[in-house]
Amino acid sequence: QVQLVESGGGLVQSGGALRLSCAASGSIFSINGMGWYRQVPGKQRELVARFISGGTTEYADSVKGRFTISRDNAKNTVYLQMNSLKPEDTAVYYCNANLRKSGSYSSYSYWGQGTQVTVSS
């Protein structure tokens, strides 16, 4: 069984900062990529930031220069430092990992339960 456990969401004023964490645990053989997505009611889930193969990072245009993704490979953990937050950043933030379980030959996508981020104006 694989679990992605997120933490760090909450309520913050516009211009403030939050740091999200996501730890992957369970029978993991390897992790190909990890990242963060967000969703607001009535809209599709969208990419915020992620690590892709080779360690390359990808950011949504709307968060470039404000958000920073980082990781601790030894802990199978990915972080999202969010600075200069805006009301439009309000959403449920989901952690995603593309990983290969122990004993498996294929990789699959896994999601965390989501953490609410609310930015007040």
Side-chain angles (χ1 to χ4, degrees):
Q1 191 76 340
V2 171
Q3 278 191 317
L4 301 182
V5 179
E6 300 136 334
S7 61
L11 173 64
V12 64
Q13 288 189 333
S14 182
L18 284 173
R19 187 188 193 216
L20 306 182
S21 299
C22 171
S25 63
S27 302
I28 299 170
F29 179 80
S30 63
I31 298 178
N32 305 318
M34 290 185 76
W36 293 94
Y37 292 72
R38 65 187 181 188
Q39 189 171 23
V40 298
K43 292 191 176 182
Q44 286 190 330
R45 193 170 297 186
E46 64 176 7
L47 171 71
V48 177
R50 64 175 179 171
F51 283 102
I52 55 179
S53 182
T56 304
T57 56
E58 181 180 4
Y59 291 90
D61 288 342
S62 60
V63 307
K64 285 180 180 177
R66 299 188 298 123
F67 291 10
T68 302
I69 190 170
S70 61
R71 62 186 177 183
D72 184 334
N73 290 335
K75 296 180 179 180
N76 288 339
T77 299
V78 66
Y79 306 95
L80 185 68
Q81 178 65 44
M82 304 185 293
N83 297 330
S84 302
L85 282 161
K86 304 175 182 180
E88 50 263 44
D89 294 317
T90 296
V92 177
Y93 284 69
Y94 294 92
C95 176
N96 173 266
N98 184 279
L99 60 85
R100 179 180 162 188
K101 290 176 63 176
S102 300
S104 173
Y105 292 100
S106 300
S107 296
Y108 297 94
S109 183
Y110 293 83
W111 293 92
Q113 79 283 358
T115 185
Q116 177 71 45
V117 171
T118 302
V119 185
S120 63
S121 57

